[in-house]
Amino acid sequence: MPRQGDEVSSADWTSTLPRLAVGMVVYDRRYDMPATIADFDGPMVCLTRPTGLAWRSHCASVRPATAYERRQLRAIARLHAQRQRGAAPA
């Protein structure tokens, strides 16, 4: 754990947040949406959704997703894929 005043690189943030990992489904409390972690940028977490929406959020506003939220993200991915094929109504 870095001491106060030490410079923290993005690699150090991943070691201080062992509960978060790239590829993990999380829930962003700031945007009230589940998403997948794409990358870490210092204290910021880069998040993506199956629709292509991407944003950055502070790691303090992100928590691991519940089973319901993971299912919600998979359902969004299926709906988006169907709409891309033109199979589902908008």
Side-chain angles (χ1 to χ4, degrees):
M1 182 109 192
R3 292 181 303 236
Q4 187 174 8
D6 286 350
E7 191 66 33
V8 179
S9 70
S10 62
D12 293 330
W13 272 103
T14 58
S15 65
T16 59
L17 297 172
R19 62 188 182 91
L20 300 178
V22 172
M24 182 179 191
V25 177
V26 294
Y27 184 80
D28 185 356
R29 293 182 197 104
R30 182 173 165 208
Y31 289 97
D32 291 326
M33 291 194 296
T36 304
I37 296 177
D39 197 12
F40 292 94
D41 184 18
M44 304 303 284
V45 180
C46 302
L47 303 170
T48 60
R49 295 210 1 135
T51 58
L53 177 66
W55 72 97
R56 292 173 9 132
S57 204
H58 195 277
C59 61
S61 70
V62 172
R63 64 165 170 76
T66 64
Y68 175 79
E69 292 158 349
R70 287 190 299 272
R71 286 192 308 269
Q72 184 182 24
L73 195 63
R74 285 193 304 267
I76 291 167
R78 282 193 307 274
L79 178 63
H80 181 68
Q82 286 176 348
R83 286 186 176 170
Q84 293 292 82
R85 289 190 306 264

